[in-house]
Amino acid sequence: MNSTPSAAAGPAPAAERSGPAASGVSTISSDHPGITELFALLAYGEVAAFYRLTEEARMAPNLRGRINMATMAAAEMNHYEVLRDAMERRGVDVVPAMTKYASALENYHRLTTPSTWLEALVKTYVGDALAADFYLETAGSMPDEVAGVVRSVLSETGHSQFVVAEVRAAVTASQRQRHRLALWSRRLLGEAITQAQYVLAEHDELVDLVMSGGGLSQMTDFFDHLQHTHNTRMQELGLA
């Protein structure tokens, strides 16, 4: 699950939010074990996204769509290399570290395999936006060097903005498509939250990292926030 959505669709900037994350003050030490786990999770997410995007590019009805998907796939592997290098600097071998997250991420992709090009587009947009949300919940409390790595991983994800124009055009022309894709988007969110809960339940270090930002006091608040920002983005796509 990995593109930073438009300002209209995204969550409030960190500077507008309360808690240490909003103040820009790091509350997490650079040796927090959750940082390595976060890098490992993101790394496998990038690899899985690369293969997903290359497969789904074949569903594109034209060359422009295939190029857009291929560009995003290339960016995913660039992001993986950034994370791999960051983990090596921490003395961690990326492959065994990230393999422990394979089950949850592969289950998500298996359970949300799109059957149409429009479903593939919505999945790309929703997955990328959720990844951006996860970062925003922890960014301000991370040490600068760690926040810089995660920020660079999410920096090139604006490619999925081409999704908005194409999906909005399709749902404006067809109420049937709008209803189908609205249901699909809710399924994507539900599966993403389910798999995230599985991951967090098995990795206390990640839970502590998420909660260390200070902006959210309980895990339920975290998932409630994901639901809220998801609803905002569905308005952006015309699927509310």
Side-chain angles (χ1 to χ4, degrees), residues 69-142:
M69 282 293 203
T71 300
M72 292 179 65
E76 303 292 2
M77 287 310 296
N78 289 336
H79 298 159
Y80 163 76
E81 292 173 357
V82 170
L83 290 159
R84 177 202 62 201
D85 293 346
M87 292 183 72
E88 287 180 351
R89 290 194 296 271
R90 298 172 71 86
V92 179
D93 186 346
V94 63
V95 173
M98 72 179 187
T99 301
K100 71 181 81 170
Y101 296 104
S103 177
L105 289 167
E106 294 300 336
N107 280 339
Y108 170 76
H109 289 302
R110 177 178 58 81
L111 294 169
T112 58
T113 302
S115 60
T116 68
W117 172 239
L118 288 173
E119 287 185 355
L121 291 181
V122 172
K123 179 180 177 181
T124 295
Y125 190 75
V126 169
D128 289 347
L130 288 171
D133 283 345
F134 186 86
Y135 165 67
L136 287 174
E137 293 301 344
T138 59
S141 57
M142 290 183 182

Side-chain angles (χ1 to χ4, degrees), residues 170-171 173-182:
V171 301
S174 170
Q175 280 286 85
R176 179 172 175 272
Q177 283 286 14
R178 186 175 75 82
H179 291 309
R180 288 185 69 252
L181 293 177

Side-chain angles (χ1 to χ4, degrees), residues 56-76:
E56 292 171 3
R58 300 175 188 148
M59 304 173 73
N62 52 47
L63 180 59
R64 186 181 301 277
R66 290 193 291 275
I67 290 173
N68 280 326
M69 282 293 203
T71 300
M72 292 179 65
E76 303 292 2

Side-chain angles (χ1 to χ4, degrees), residues 17 21 25 38 62 156:
R17 299 170 65 184
V25 177
L38 176 63
N62 52 47
E156 298 179 37

